[in-house]
Amino acid sequence: MNKDNKHSYEALLTVPFHDLDPAQIVWHGNYFKYFDIARAGLFDSLGLDLYSFSKRTQYIFPIIRTSTKHIFPLKHRDEFICKASIVEVNIKIIIDFEIRLAADHKICARSRSEQVALKTPEMDLLLRIPEEIRNSLLRQ
């Protein structure tokens, strides 16, 4: 957990050639892949397996909103840290992301995602994240 009492996880990654666009910087859509790697690491670090939970309960957790601010472009072979931090786990799961260069900690991007809980196959929206998931994500 970080100093703000939020659970966080940091993934150290390196930009591969195939993530670049014709301008030789990371294509903006690939940032979502980096965010997903950090999100999965965050959930794993808290012992949360959403896939198994979904198979057992028929609840799914789609991302319903994202916003990203691109500040400084990532380039081929840049080593960077993608940090995921839990902001809220009540009605939605809200996670903030930050990408910064490993060498000098220069901020490259900031993002936020929101996930809700749906009951399948009806696709009914739950008005609260299931208690088992909240407890896992808020574990002290």
Side-chain angles (χ1 to χ4, degrees):
M1 202 170 331
N2 69 18
K3 65 181 183 228
D4 300 321
N5 286 337
K6 293 191 237 175
H7 288 289
S8 295
Y9 177 84
E10 293 186 352
L12 179 62
L13 304 168
T14 303
V15 175
F17 175 78
H18 60 266
D19 281 359
L20 304 180
D21 67 10
Q24 299 300 302
I25 60 175
V26 171
W27 176 66
H28 69 278
N30 284 319
Y31 285 79
F32 290 105
K33 174 175 59 176
Y34 306 148
F35 301 147
D36 276 342
I37 290 168
R39 179 193 337 271
L42 174 62
F43 289 170
D44 286 348
S45 74
L46 295 169
L48 179 59
D49 181 352
L50 280 185
Y51 180 76
S52 294
F53 182 83
S54 294
K55 283 183 70 169
R56 181 169 44 85
T57 64
Q58 302 303 305
Y59 291 125
I60 60 172
F61 299 88
I63 294 172
I64 60 162
R65 179 175 296 169
T66 62
S67 66
T68 303
K69 169 88 173 164
H70 297 273
I71 300 164
F72 185 80
L74 288 170
K75 299 177 185 89
H76 184 232
R77 294 192 179 137
D78 277 347
E79 270 198 335
F80 65 96
I81 297 162
C82 185
K83 179 179 179 181
S85 301
I86 295 172
V87 175
E88 178 189 319
V89 183
N90 191 16
I91 297 168
K92 300 179 270 191
I93 299 170
I94 300 176
I95 300 175
D96 279 347
F97 300 92
E98 180 180 83
I99 290 179
R100 63 187 186 282
L101 293 174
D104 62 6
H105 300 286
K106 185 172 194 167
I107 303 292
C108 298
R110 289 196 171 115
S111 188
R112 175 171 279 194
S113 71
E114 298 179 8
Q115 293 172 260
V116 295
L118 296 178
K119 178 70 171 165
T120 60
E122 303 87 359
M123 301 304 279
D124 288 337
L125 176 66
L126 277 71
L127 299 179
R128 189 167 171 93
I129 297 300
E131 186 173 346
E132 183 179 337
I133 299 301
R134 277 197 328 276
N135 289 343
S136 291
L137 294 176
L138 297 175
R139 185 173 293 144
Q140 295 292 326

